[in-house]
Amino acid sequence: MKVKLEVKRSDPERYERYELPYEEGDTLLTALQKIKEEHDPSLSFRAFCRAGICGTCAVKVNGFPKLACREQLRPYALTGEVIKVEPLDGFPVIKDLVVETEGMVERAKNCELWVKPKQKNLPIPPEVNRKIEKGADCILCFACQSYCPQTREREYAGPLFFAKLHRFCHDPRDADAEKRLEEAFKGELYHCLSCDKCSSACPKEVSPADLIRELMTCKGLAQKS
Ligand code: FES
């Protein structure tokens, strides 16, 4: 069996076609590595863990954001469907499938998205822990961010940012509630369309859309709006 790929390349912008023999268990990441090693060493893409943990290998596959290391090639090999591979939408392209996500990372850093403890060793009840765990599962792959229609229309901070912000609404250890609320407002939280596209794109089932809806009902925020 063979797999057919159409990979978006930059400089000059074009789609390159490749046909590779399929081996049992091959993923899209395996195929990209084969292309790089056996056909074209100039192909650029990001990958690190190969296990769906680091979030670096997210690309657009037939129009939908996916982790290349988790995308199995078997269905494509069986049906003969061409796999169109493109960089994630909504980010500047550095080269081929590599996009610039530094702006988003900087924003998260500026917002100081880490717990600022009120007091040492404050216990967290298990039900609260379950609530804040969701956002912690986010691997920063930017799939949700790239699939959200609002991030391209306005200064909307986006599902990834709000999924991370969500925990501070519930984490009893955090001492900076005011700043969290401010950031949610600055990021235009209330412009979420509730279309759930971000949740459908998330490979870790974080469900950012649900977290955004919960964030909207957070005590201080709901009073402010
Ligand atoms: S290489 Fe780490 S998530 Fe795919």
Side-chain angles (χ1 to χ4, degrees), residues 131 134-136 159 162-164 166-167 170 189 199 206-216:
K131 256 184 192 272
K134 271 257 168 191
F162 291 127
K164 288 287 178 198
H166 168 269
R167 73 167 298 164
H170 304 283
L189 174 75
S199 295
V206 170
S207 299
D210 291 340
L211 300 187
I212 290 173
R213 287 189 277 270
E214 270 190 34
L215 193 52
M216 285 175 179

Side-chain angles (χ1 to χ4, degrees), residues 29 46-58 67-70 139:
L29 182 55
R46 280 198 186 112
F48 188 63
C49 72
R50 302 173 174 208
I53 297 167
C54 72
T56 56
C57 67
L67 292 180
C69 69
R70 289 180 65 183
I139 57 171

